[in-house]
Amino acid sequence: MGGGFDLRDEPWIPVRLADGAPLRLGLRGVFKRAHEITDLELPVAPAAAGLLRILAAVTARVAGAHGVTLGDPGPAENLQDWLRLRHKVLRHGRFEPGAVDAYFDGAVPAGRFDLFDAARPFLQDPRLATECVTASGEPNPSGVNKLVFGRPTGVNGAILFGHFTDAAPAPVPAAEAAWHLIAQLFFGPSGQCTPRRITDQRTGSTDAAPLRKSVSYFPWGRELFTTLVLAVPRPDTAPDEGGQDACPWEEDLRSPLAPLEPLTWPGRLLTGRFRHAALLVPSEDHRAVTDAYLTWATHERPHRVRDPYQILDRRTDGGFQPREADGARALWRDVDALLLKTSRIDAQRPPCLEELPKALRPTLRVRAYGFDQDGQQKDSVWFQATTPPVLQWQEENDRSMAHHIARCHEAAERTGQRLELAAMVGWKLSAAPAADASPTAKVRLDRRKPGPWASAALHRFWPAAEDTFWRLAVPEQAGTEVLRPFVETALTALDAAVGGVSRADIRVARARSRARGLLLALLRPATAD
């Protein structure tokens, strides 16, 4: 294989400029024009989550002042010195074009950003062409469908969004292949994979990628320049294990059987935890990918480290784990965990949201990228969402608003839980002719048979609750009652789920009245907000 798709200059990253114009740029263009870019428009959310980590690692190499960059070990020894350096970078307002060129053209060996470089293709291992082989020594690629998230693979793969089968795989454009390469390295599955022969054994299993089934939260500025600078993790967010820091494209290939390098800041922290190895096979003109190898990169025990862009939730045993992505959960339901101080709640907010510049907080939003998956092979849905500028209300900046928003979220969650219960009770009473519908009668529920009202009511409630939440989440509403608006929203959702025609039945009418009573009970003084 030869070179031919240089990610430094090929237009593969979709962005939007300040004037609203869509554009595709290479890595060099993204950094040189970051102050003109208002949004990153990668359509594959897991690829965007991975790409931002890659861009943050590069930012640490090129952003600086007076010859010192954000990734240099000197200012990293003292957090306040590092924060002052970041302030100088932000005040400058753009990346220095000379520093960008010096990094891409000089600091990194030639070919390392080429997607199809013969010796060292970007984020790939060229050894797979000879290590992923059959027992008879024939090449054993995984297939291009295995690379692209959303395409069916295997004999029983479902054809849902395109007629892509292993028998007749369609090539994927090189730019899109780069997106899915990044997504695989950060979100790839565990379990069986294409076998790789390094010793006498052909091992064919791998661990889950470091971000599998997770959601990432980034402080989002008015322009990409601010976003990338704030995405560089603080030096106190990773353990100091010593060793020379490097990103995969900055160092030589390592042996898959060797012990892992120390997890250094910031390059290895952001880009050095991959569990998968990949190799793309290009078309003759190097404008597309026709095949791919996907296998394991290491079986060493992964480093235990706090990801700088994830919320941690407390487990029942008292420990913490990353909040899992849920395609049915809207971003506004996570806002309180992004605002409240870690010590006050059973969740730890992402380290990247700590120590934000005060002058920027009124304009900063939060961008979330998530991928709803199981721990092994099942991929459900990916998503992205952006909040309004809520970071001005972090607890250390505006305690009253932070706790008001937390109250709004708690009220919504309580109401949603009660709505589900009320709808199940109502359906049970309506479906059982002999059931006692009086307010004090006990109703035995079977969670395995919730009936149709609960899902229909919740389907209507949560989108409407989001509108209610943002209507309440303003300084003018601080201190007001927040539970009643959500209960009223739930009552409307319940009525819609029951349906107007059904309510004409006396049995249904009594069941509906009982269900509404369960919701209104939230407003009694003993349980008032």
Side-chain angles (χ1 to χ4, degrees):
M1 297 190 302
F5 199 87
D6 193 332
L7 297 176
R8 294 175 301 178
D9 301 306
E10 291 281 357
W12 66 285
I13 303 175
V15 299
R16 186 165 296 275
L17 301 180
D19 61 4
L23 187 65
R24 284 197 180 193
L25 296 170
L27 290 168
R28 191 193 310 271
V30 165
F31 280 93
K32 288 189 175 182
R33 303 187 65 177
H35 57 289
E36 305 173 32
I37 297 171
T38 57
D39 207 354
L40 182 69
E41 297 195 326
L42 214 61
V44 181
L51 176 62
L52 278 168
R53 286 167 167 81
I54 293 170
L55 296 178
V58 176
T59 298
R61 307 296 199 230
V62 303
H66 309 299
V68 181
T69 68
L70 290 174
D72 285 345
E77 293 178 357
N78 183 287
L79 179 58
Q80 293 306 313
D81 289 343
W82 188 87
L83 292 174
R84 281 191 288 269
L85 176 61
R86 186 180 70 175
H87 177 72
K88 293 178 182 178
V89 172
L90 289 167
R91 190 170 55 187
H92 188 65
R94 62 174 298 171
F95 295 111
E96 284 290 347
V100 173
D101 287 334
Y103 179 77
F104 285 117
D105 298 332
V108 178
R112 297 291 177 85
F113 288 104
D114 195 317
L115 199 61
F116 305 130
D117 185 71
R120 192 70 167 89
F122 182 68
L123 294 182
Q124 298 164 68
D125 190 336
R127 297 172 296 191
L128 301 189
T130 57
E131 293 176 352
C132 293
V133 294
T134 66
S136 60
E138 295 296 320
N140 184 31
S142 310
V144 69
N145 289 348
K146 191 71 173 178
L147 169 73
V148 180
F149 280 108
R151 285 192 180 184
T153 59
V155 176
N156 297 319
I159 301 175
L160 298 178
F161 305 112
H163 290 277
F164 308 108
T165 66
D166 287 347
V172 58
E176 296 180 22
W179 306 344
H180 289 277
L181 169 66
I182 293 171
Q184 289 285 354
L185 294 176
F186 282 99
F187 289 88
S190 64
Q192 185 176 355
C193 65
T194 298
R196 181 180 189 181
R197 184 190 294 276
I198 297 177
T199 63
D200 292 337
Q201 302 295 320
R202 293 176 67 243
T203 306
S205 65
T206 185
D207 300 327
L211 303 185
R212 179 108 188 143
K213 65 178 183 178
S214 73
V215 56
S216 301
Y217 305 85
F218 297 89
W220 209 256
R222 287 177 173 172
E223 69 291 312
L224 187 62
F225 168 77
T226 300
T227 299
L228 293 183
V229 173
L230 295 181
V232 178
R234 303 191 324 274
D236 61 340
T237 58
D240 184 6
E241 297 183 359
Q244 181 68 36
D245 183 57
C247 299
W249 55 87
E250 296 172 340
E251 62 180 351
D252 294 334
L253 286 169
R254 297 177 54 256
S255 168
L257 305 178
L260 297 180
E261 293 286 344
L263 194 61
T264 51
W265 170 91
R268 296 192 199 279
L269 171 66
L270 297 175
T271 64
R273 297 189 288 142
F274 300 145
R275 311 298 294 178
H276 294 74
L279 179 63
L280 307 183
V281 179
S283 60
E284 290 186 4
D285 62 2
H286 290 185
R287 310 312 296 173
V289 169
T290 60
D291 210 338
Y293 296 82
L294 287 169
T295 186
W296 57 274
T298 179
H299 288 130
E300 293 289 313
R301 185 181 298 274
H303 292 292
R304 297 181 60 87
V305 65
R306 174 76 190 276
D307 187 277
Y309 313 107
Q310 293 179 346
I311 292 174
L312 296 187
D313 289 321
R314 191 184 299 276
R315 299 190 302 264
T316 55
D317 63 2
F320 285 88
Q321 66 181 21
R323 179 165 295 181
E324 294 185 3
D326 182 349
R329 181 184 175 90
L331 175 59
W332 66 270
R333 296 171 69 182
D334 294 337
V335 167
D336 59 332
L338 305 175
L339 301 183
L340 294 178
K341 290 181 179 178
T342 292
S343 60
R344 295 181 179 271
I345 53 178
D346 286 336
Q348 297 181 6
R349 68 185 178 193
C352 70
L353 299 184
E354 304 284 359
E355 302 285 352
L356 295 173
K358 291 183 179 180
L360 291 178
R361 285 177 188 169
T363 65
L364 291 179
R365 300 166 289 163
V366 177
R367 169 69 57 84
Y369 294 103
F371 200 175
D372 190 337
Q373 309 168 286
D374 70 3
Q376 294 184 313
Q377 297 284 337
K378 181 181 177 181
D379 299 326
S380 297
V381 62
W382 62 61
F383 57 88
Q384 75 172 56
T386 310
T387 70
V390 297
L391 292 179
Q392 60 185 313
W393 298 325
Q394 285 187 315
E395 186 175 4
E396 59 268 41
N397 195 52
D398 192 331
R399 185 179 185 277
S400 175
M401 272 302 294
H403 285 268
H404 170 65
I405 289 175
R407 289 172 58 242
C408 292
H409 174 239
E410 180 184 359
E413 295 292 339
R414 286 178 60 197
T415 306
Q417 293 171 6
R418 181 61 64 90
L419 173 60
E420 182 180 22
L421 173 65
M424 291 173 62
V425 168
W427 170 255
K428 181 76 173 182
L429 294 174
S430 71
D436 184 354
S438 61
T440 58
K442 293 184 178 181
V443 180
R444 181 172 295 179
L445 298 176
D446 185 350
R447 290 276 177 182
R448 297 171 297 179
K449 300 177 181 179
W453 289 1
S455 61
L458 292 174
H459 181 74
R460 291 170 171 82
F461 171 74
W462 285 116
E466 180 172 6
D467 293 337
T468 302
F469 175 84
W470 289 119
R471 177 168 54 83
L472 294 171
V474 293
E476 293 77 15
Q477 296 292 332
T480 63
E481 181 186 12
V482 297
L483 184 56
R484 182 174 294 275
F486 287 107
V487 171
E488 292 172 350
T489 300
L491 290 170
T492 302
L494 176 66
D495 287 346
V498 174
V501 175
S502 298
R503 291 201 298 270
D505 185 298
I506 186 63
R507 187 173 66 252
V508 174
R510 289 174 177 171
R512 169 180 172 270
S513 178
R514 174 71 185 276
R516 287 175 62 88
L518 288 172
L519 282 168
L520 290 170
L522 287 173
L523 301 178
R524 293 173 184 167
T527 58
D529 182 71

